Structure formats: structure tokens, C-alpha cells
Amino acid sequence: MTQLLIIIGYLFLLLLLGIGASRLFRGTSQDYMLASHSIGPFLLLMSIFGTTMTAFALVGSTGESFKEGVGVYGMLASSSGIIHSLCFLLLGVKVWELGRKYEYRTQVQFFRDRLESRWIGVILFPVLVGLVIPYLLIGVMASGTVINKVTAGSIRDGRVVGGTFEEGTFPQFLEQGKKPQSEEPANFIYGSQGGVPKPLASLAICGIVLIYVFLGGMRGTTWANTFQTLVFMVLGIVTFVVIAWQLGGQESFWTSLQTASSSIPIEKLTRIHIPPEKFLTYMFVPLSVGMFPHLFQHWLTARSAESFKLPIVAHPLFIAIVWVPCVLIGAWATSDLITIPPPVAANPNAVLPFLVKQLAGPVLGGLLTAGILAAIMSSLDSQFLCLGTMFTEDVVRPLCGQRSLSDRQQLLVARLFIIGIVALTYGLSLFEPRRVFTLGVWCFSGFSSLFPLILAALYWPRLTKAGAYACVLAAAGSWLWLFRASEFAAQPNFTVNIPVPITLDGDGYWQLMPVAAMIACSTVAMVCVSVVTKPPSDATVAKFFPKNGS
Amino acid sequence: MKPAHGVWALILFLIIAHQDIWFWDDTTLVFGFLPVALAYHACISLAAAFTWYLATRFCWPSDQAPSAQGRDTA
């Protein structure tokens, strides 16, 4: 019960922060969506970092390291330190300049101008929303799992012991878990196990985020992100120290660290099971930040171009601070120092909350859980807000045409759409779960496949409207094709295998990440169609590619 | 060579250095607790931060002055 009370206390604090931020709200849609372009370097760093580091970073990285070993850090974290900052420098600053100059609020508005195409939003909007929804799902699913695991009991002799609630406290339909390899209906022992049921926990998190996004808009979201990023970074380090000490079981922290790491099995200590070409092509996945609509919106909140300097430099360091401990914890969980029960091992998302529950006391366990939830919610809020903004700006306003909406009506539309999206995401989260990491990689791969579009729009004057349409359609088509081939993410290690005569591991194939194939498709389609179609007008080229001094 | 070219060369070097096939099956624990595959890539993250610091000094893509429109926040 202590953990649950601490979690409730933390959520209450967040609500207070949302109410506080709403007092600074200026009542305009410009302030609600872009915080009136007033965000300085520190808040920009914290909000961008908090937004990009979601359940994927804490729960997902620990779970994936548990499954695949320490190579996970190189696959996504260190590559993100290079690629994310590259995107902030090459794309973020340029987008900010154009956004300020021409008052853009969304990606579609920018592309509509740049491509001289009123209808680009018709295909881009559903693709972007369709890709954000799995991203949202990651957070909603993980928050339910985390709260449930830290409040649940354990199974001994076919009974639940030490849970927060008794059997029958919650209605049967909230008990989702089944005995592995069994056709029996879901029940208490394999469902909530005396914890808060996952569907209820996810619903509570959605509700809290919804309320502070409603009240504070972008300003409230930025403040909440900053607060939550600080919370999850500090508590993440505390988690690491506590788990290392408890697992190692030595008097000093240093020797406990060494004991814990010396017990990691060899296959988790190395990358012998990861094909080098798969590792290489994982580097395309972080390109996704270039097309994240919520990040686009955060870039536009910057007070000046100078505000980007701190995020660009500090982002790789912050990634290391969060990911190195999580990856080590995941690898330790594979050692013989602790027994991970089969239901937890079968669901890697549950490894971190399980360790927190087992190895930290109830007070610390509650605080650490709050840290994990902070990481999750700091992404959900931006995504909710971004979707509301996109719907208002890219769908409703163009449809209304001359009958322009008042500022108050725009706010209302944005908020109503946010409610709809939250309801849809929550409904989808109730279906069979996928590994957070796998789902995340698919979602990021989709955004990465659109990266050539934003890069060309900013740096290649010859990009044409038809080339852009071809790029989006090729990206969406190849994503759908490969996602289906992976049995809708049910195959976590799905790769595109290309037969070649020579490989480093001698298996006769290059095992590439699907993202490599998607980027190749979208780039080829974009370039080929652009060079054979009518170039953009001189006025558009002059607008987006001004010569020095003009 | 201009400093900006040097920075871009450094970024390219980082991307190549990221493909560390030489540590693929190495089980060494740096300081007795950090697997070398993890330690090496943590150093890549530190090197990336330093490289991006140089990039903000020598490859800055904007000459825009800070705007006075928005109210300053942190």
C-alpha cells in the first residue's frame, strides 16, 4: 500500500504543477500550442530530452538488455547521441527559423508551403497520426505494467501473497492475465495478482496527463516535462545504486557492482548473437526524431536559435546517464544472483518494475516507480498536445476555409481531439501486449523512413510536390508490407535478409533492420520522381533557399 | 582546412568508430564491472557531446539574432 500512496502523491503533485502552469497560460491558441515561442535553453533541453526518452528508455532498455544483452546500448543509445543531435543541428534550427518567419505550428503547414501543395496533409496527417499512436501505446501499456507490478504480490503454492488488494476487489473483466500456454480464462493469479489492474492503472495515467495538458497546454507540458525529467534522472541513478548494492550483496558499493557484473552470462556480456550488419543498420532508427511531430512542435517553442546549443551538446550525455544504468540492470537480471519468475521473464517490460519491487523497500520502491512513470508521462503529454494541434491546424482550419475559427473554438477543437485520441489509444492498449522495445523500433522506423523528406525539403531545392507524395507513399507502403511480414511485431528479431557471397559471420545473408529497406524505398521514390517532374516555382525556391544577403 | 570541415570529419569518424566489430566477443569488464561493449559505447556518447560542442562553435547553421517576441523562460 505504501508504494501506491507514494504513486498517488506523485500524480497529485503533477496535477498541482499543471494547475500552476495554467495560471501562466495567456489564453491564446498560440500560447497553448507553442508557449508563445518563449522557451529558453534549459527548459528546451529538458523538454526535448524528456519527450524523446519514454518508457522505451527505462522499461524498454532494461527489458531488451535482459533479452539481448549489453549490445542494446550501442544499437540505440550511443547511436542516438550522434544522430539526435545531428537532427537538432541540421533540422531543428532551420525549422525554428522558418517556423518563426512564416508562423508554422505543424509539419503539414511547412510542407504545404514548401511543396506548393494544399493537399499534402491528406496523406501526411494520417501517416503521422498512425505512427504516433503506437508510440503512445508504448507509454500507456508500460505505465499499466509498472504500476501493477510494484503493487502486486507474488505467487506461492498457487496463492497470491503480499498483494495490495484481495481477490474480488476489482471486477473480473479487469483481470487480464492467463496462465502461460493455457486456454483457461484470465484470472486473479495471473492477472492483477493483488496489484492495481493494468487497465485501471493505464486509465489513471491517461487521465492525469490529459488534465495537465488541458490546463497548461505547451507551457504546462514543458514545465511538467522538465520536472519529470529531473525526477526520472535522479531516481534512475538511485535505482541503479540500490539494485546494484542489493544484487551484489557486498559491504561496499564498488565490490557489489563488481560481483553483480561478474555474474552476467557471457552471451549477455557480448554481441555474439547480433549480426554486425544489423547493428549497423540500427543506426537509421534514431533518424526518426527528424520527423517526430511532437518534437517539431517543441523545436518551434524555442525563444531563439541559440536555445538549441545546450540541447545539442547535452543530449548525448543525458542519454548515457539514463541508458548505461538501465542496460546494466537488465544484464544483471540474467545472472544467477536473482531468479526472475517465468511470467516476468516472458514479459521483458516487467523486468525493471519486478526488480524495484524485490530489491527496494516500499518507500524507495514507490519513489522509484514514480521516476519510471515520470519518464513515461513526459512523452505522453507532448504527443497528446501535438495531435490536438495537428488536428486543429491541419484538418479543421483548412476545412473551415474562409469561415475561420475563433481562438476559443480552436482551443476547444484541439482539446476534444486529444480526448478522442486518448480514448482510442487506451482502447488499443487493452489488446495483446507486444514488447515495448519491439513496438518502439517499428514506430521509430516509420518516422525514419520519412526522414529523407524533411532533409530534402530543407536542403534540396529540386524536391517537387510529386516527389514528396512518392516519398510518403513509398515509406507508408514499405512500412506496412514489412510490419505485416513481421506478423505485426510478433517476431521481435525480424530482419530483411539479403543473400550475399561474403559476410562477417559467414551465414550468407546480410540481416538488415527493416528501417534500412524503408529508407531506401522512400529515398529512391522521392529522388526519381522529383527529377522527372516539374521543379518548384522560383518564388518558392527563393522563399525557402534565400541566397546569402537577400 | 576550415574548422567546420574538421568537425564534420570528426562526426564521420564517430559514425565509423561506432561499428566496433573488434569488441564483438570481448568479455572484459572495465574497472571490474563495466562490460567493454558498454564502456566503449559510453565513451562514444562522451565523444559525441564534445564533437557537438565543437559543431555549435564552428558549424552553427543560423545567423539569427535572439527574438524579443517571446517572454524569456529559463
Side-chain angles (χ1 to χ4, degrees), chain A residues 278-300:
Chain A
K278 182 181 177 186
F279 187 85
L280 169 69
T281 49
Y282 243 100
M283 212 160 188
F284 290 117
V285 176
L287 288 173
S288 52
V289 298
M291 274 303 284
F292 280 164
H294 48 285
L295 211 53
F296 187 97
Q297 199 172 351
H298 271 295
W299 288 340
L300 293 179

Side-chain angles (χ1 to χ4, degrees), chain A residues 325-491:
Chain A
C326 287
V327 169
L328 259 185
I329 289 172
W332 290 338
T334 61
S335 72
D336 54 9
L337 295 173
I338 189 163
T339 305
I340 305 290
V344 176
N347 176 15
N349 307 344
V351 171
L352 183 61
F354 172 79
L355 292 173
V356 166
K357 162 105 176 147
Q358 291 294 310
L359 301 173
V363 174
L364 197 52
L367 287 172
L368 299 179
T369 309
I372 299 172
L373 292 176
I376 295 170
M377 290 191 286
S378 62
S379 299
L380 283 179
D381 52 12
S382 301
Q383 292 157 344
F384 286 162
L385 183 64
C386 162
L387 290 174
T389 306
M390 285 166 67
F391 183 69
T392 314
E393 297 290 328
D394 301 337
V395 177
V396 177
R397 283 185 67 187
L399 282 178
C400 286
Q402 296 301 316
R403 295 175 288 115
S404 61
L405 293 174
S406 70
D407 225 39
R408 185 182 283 268
Q409 285 170 323
Q410 285 181 41
L411 276 174
L412 181 69
V413 168
R415 286 169 162 164
L416 287 176
F417 187 71
I418 291 171
I419 292 180
I421 283 290
V422 173
L424 175 68
T425 311
Y426 176 73
L428 291 172
S429 76
L430 300 177
F431 290 102
E432 188 185 352
R434 295 278 188 262
R435 270 158 71 174
V436 159
F437 198 88
T438 311
L439 203 56
V441 167
W442 274 104
C443 161
F444 297 163
S445 298
F447 283 114
S448 298
S449 64
L450 292 168
F451 173 82
L453 180 63
I454 180 83
L455 187 69
L458 292 170
Y459 290 97
W460 190 39
R462 191 63 180 76
L463 170 71
T464 67
K465 175 167 65 174
Y469 278 90
C471 179
V472 176
L473 292 174
S478 57
W479 188 91
L480 284 170
W481 176 274
L482 292 167
F483 189 57
R484 186 167 174 269
S486 77
E487 295 170 26
F488 305 101
Q491 291 182 33

Side-chain angles (χ1 to χ4, degrees), chain A residues 24 26 30 36-43 70 73-75 77-79 81-83 85-86 89-90 93 96-97 100 219 223 240 254 257-258 261-262 264 266 269-272 274-276 279-280 283 303-306 308-309 312-313 316-317 319-320 324 327-328 332 459 504, chain B residues 7-8 10-74:
Chain A
L24 298 172
R26 301 177 191 177
Q30 165 90 333
S36 303
H37 305 291
S38 65
I39 303 300
F42 179 70
L43 287 183
V70 298
Y73 185 88
M75 284 204 296
S78 58
S79 55
I82 301 170
I83 302 294
S85 291
L86 179 71
L89 181 81
L90 288 183
V93 176
W96 176 84
E97 281 183 359
R100 285 302 304 268
R219 196 180 301 281
W223 279 103
F240 175 72
W254 189 256
L257 266 182
Q258 293 177 327
S261 290
S262 60
I264 301 173
I266 286 181
L269 213 51
T270 62
R271 285 164 285 176
I272 47 178
I274 303 174
F279 187 85
L280 169 69
M283 212 160 188
R303 185 203 316 159
S304 67
E306 294 286 308
F308 281 85
K309 287 186 174 174
I312 288 169
V313 176
L317 294 178
I319 288 177
V324 170
V327 169
L328 259 185
W332 290 338
Y459 290 97
L504 283 170
Chain B
V7 174
W8 287 115
L10 212 51
I11 292 165
L12 189 64
F13 173 74
L14 267 181
I15 292 172
I16 294 167
H18 182 269
Q19 315 306 318
D20 60 325
I21 48 174
W22 48 91
F23 283 137
W24 221 252
D25 51 4
D26 194 329
T27 56
T28 307
L29 291 174
V30 180
F31 305 122
F33 80 94
L34 205 52
V36 69
L38 187 56
Y40 177 83
H41 280 277
C43 290
I44 291 271
S45 296
L46 297 180
F50 178 67
T51 307
W52 290 120
Y53 166 72
L54 294 179
T56 57
R57 290 207 56 188
F58 300 113
C59 312
W60 193 239
S62 170
D63 51 5
Q64 288 252 332
S67 161
Q69 185 186 324
R71 193 176 66 176
D72 291 356
T73 310

Side-chain angles (χ1 to χ4, degrees), chain A residues 6-343:
Chain A
I6 291 173
I7 293 167
I8 292 171
Y10 176 73
L11 296 178
F12 185 69
L13 248 178
L14 262 184
L15 277 184
L16 285 182
L17 194 71
I19 293 167
S22 71
R23 289 176 170 272
L24 298 172
F25 178 42
R26 301 177 191 177
T28 62
S29 60
Q30 165 90 333
D31 198 63
Y32 187 78
M33 295 168 186
L34 297 179
S36 303
H37 305 291
S38 65
I39 303 300
F42 179 70
L43 287 183
L44 190 65
L45 164 68
M46 300 310 267
S47 58
I48 286 179
F49 183 72
T51 301
T52 46
M53 294 296 121
T54 169
F56 186 77
L58 293 181
V59 182
S61 63
T62 307
E64 199 63 13
S65 173
F66 174 77
K67 280 282 178 200
E68 309 290 346
V70 298
V72 168
Y73 185 88
M75 284 204 296
L76 261 169
S78 58
S79 55
S80 294
I82 301 170
I83 302 294
H84 284 185
S85 291
L86 179 71
C87 290
F88 300 161
L89 181 81
L90 288 183
L91 310 179
V93 176
K94 203 106 173 140
V95 158
W96 176 84
E97 281 183 359
L98 292 168
R100 285 302 304 268
K101 201 167 173 185
Y102 302 116
E103 298 186 349
Y104 299 133
R105 291 179 180 182
T106 68
Q107 285 164 311
V108 169
Q109 289 175 339
F110 161 70
F111 283 117
R112 207 180 278 148
D113 260 16
R114 165 65 183 85
L115 301 168
E116 304 167 318
S117 168
R118 200 179 155 202
W119 300 107
I120 184 73
V122 173
I123 61 163
L124 201 51
F125 177 82
V127 169
L128 293 174
V129 172
L131 287 170
V132 171
I133 285 177
Y135 200 168
L136 284 169
L137 261 178
I138 297 169
V140 173
M141 275 165 37
S143 60
T145 303
V146 168
I147 294 179
N148 170 259
K149 284 294 165 206
V150 296
T151 53
S154 51
I155 305 172
R156 277 187 215 145
D157 303 327
R159 288 169 50 88
V160 173
V161 180
T164 307
F165 302 102
E166 295 296 323
E167 185 168 3
T169 307
F170 300 102
Q172 179 63 26
F173 69 86
L174 291 174
E175 305 290 354
Q176 287 200 311
K178 289 180 183 174
K179 187 175 182 179
Q181 277 97 45
S182 160
E183 294 303 314
E184 289 173 27
N187 61 43
F188 177 72
I189 292 180
Y190 293 98
S192 67
Q193 290 180 8
V196 180
K198 284 181 207 171
L200 202 59
S202 294
L203 187 65
I205 293 297
C206 285
I208 299 288
V209 176
L210 201 55
I211 291 171
Y212 76 71
V213 168
F214 248 65
L215 292 173
M218 179 53 93
R219 196 180 301 281
T221 300
T222 302
W223 279 103
N225 269 350
T226 303
F227 170 66
Q228 303 210 78
T229 304
L230 286 171
V231 166
F232 81 70
M233 287 182 77
V234 171
L235 291 179
I237 292 168
V238 175
T239 310
F240 175 72
V241 172
V242 169
I243 290 179
W245 220 321
Q246 292 289 326
L247 266 183
Q250 305 296 314
E251 279 203 8
S252 82
F253 172 63
W254 189 256
T255 49
S256 292
L257 266 182
Q258 293 177 327
T259 306
S261 290
S262 60
S263 306
I264 301 173
I266 286 181
E267 69 271 17
K268 305 294 180 193
L269 213 51
T270 62
R271 285 164 285 176
I272 47 178
H273 53 289
I274 303 174
E277 62 274 14
K278 182 181 177 186
F279 187 85
L280 169 69
T281 49
Y282 243 100
M283 212 160 188
F284 290 117
V285 176
L287 288 173
S288 52
V289 298
M291 274 303 284
F292 280 164
H294 48 285
L295 211 53
F296 187 97
Q297 199 172 351
H298 271 295
W299 288 340
L300 293 179
T301 65
R303 185 203 316 159
S304 67
E306 294 286 308
S307 302
F308 281 85
K309 287 186 174 174
L310 182 62
I312 288 169
V313 176
H315 195 76
L317 294 178
F318 275 30
I319 288 177
I321 291 170
V322 172
W323 276 70
V324 170
C326 287
V327 169
L328 259 185
I329 289 172
W332 290 338
T334 61
S335 72
D336 54 9
L337 295 173
I338 189 163
T339 305
I340 305 290

